[in-house]
Amino acid sequence: MYPYLIIKRNYMDSRIYLFAINSEKNPLKSYIVRIELGKYVKASCSCKGFAIRGNCKHIKICMRKIRCNKKIQ
Ligand SMILES: [Zn+2]
């Protein structure tokens, strides 16, 4: 599962990221992850797991990419 950054934009004091990430099981499927970093962290994903549990591994992977990649911070 590799997260591709689609767009990053700054909105007031927040940074908003959109990623596309492929499904682990089905390579033909991909999900959109939205992460907003500001006073609070808000994250969502278009996968079923997020819809059910409110959290998922795709968000974790994208958060790690933001933390580890100075170019997109
Ligand atoms: Zn997800």
Side-chain angles (χ1 to χ4, degrees):
M1 288 189 292
Y2 184 84
Y4 293 92
L5 180 64
I6 299 171
I7 195 168
K8 176 206 168 191
R9 62 190 177 96
N10 298 318
Y11 177 72
M12 297 173 71
D13 291 333
S14 301
R15 286 175 286 152
I16 299 167
Y17 296 85
L18 278 186
F19 288 94
I21 183 164
N22 58 305
S23 159
E24 192 173 26
K25 286 172 198 143
N26 183 352
L28 298 175
K29 243 185 187 178
S30 56
Y31 305 113
I32 300 293
V33 173
R34 182 186 186 279
I35 296 174
E36 186 175 332
L37 300 178
K39 198 172 172 188
Y40 305 102
V41 176
K42 288 184 221 158
S44 59
C45 178
S46 61
C47 76
K48 216 197 295 177
F50 181 83
I52 295 166
R53 294 185 303 273
N55 208 342
C56 68
K57 57 196 166 188
H58 311 115
I59 291 174
K60 278 182 208 141
I61 291 169
C62 292
M63 290 288 265
R64 197 185 309 142
K65 172 144 184 169
I66 294 171
R67 272 203 308 272
C68 300
N69 192 332
K70 289 251 186 300
K71 271 187 231 159
I72 65 169
Q73 280 172 8

